[in-house]
Amino acid sequence: MRTREAADDTDPHADAVLRIAREVMRTGGHAEDTALADARRAGVTDAELAEIVAHIALNALSNYFDHLAQPDLDFPEVSA
């Protein structure tokens, strides 16, 4: 069974985006220099890096708000 942590892609650029996003999440934003260099070598731009961090931050903010607000879920649960 595949997990979200095992995300990858056959496209080298998309795969690099997934790997650096995972590294940012794993390290709380303190990605290793080698991981950043690998992403840049695969064509990930500074703008894309900023967008990756923004998506992670927005997801965290949304999750924190949901934990406090406890809204009713109006869609079926999906197993991870």
Side-chain angles (χ1 to χ4, degrees), residues 33-46:
D33 290 342
T34 55
L36 191 53
D38 289 346
R40 287 192 168 128
R41 204 169 16 262
V44 179
T45 66
D46 287 344

Side-chain angles (χ1 to χ4, degrees), residues 20-32:
I20 195 64
R22 188 171 38 249
E23 179 73 2
V24 169
M25 288 292 302
R26 186 185 69 76
T27 65
H30 298 279
E32 297 286 331

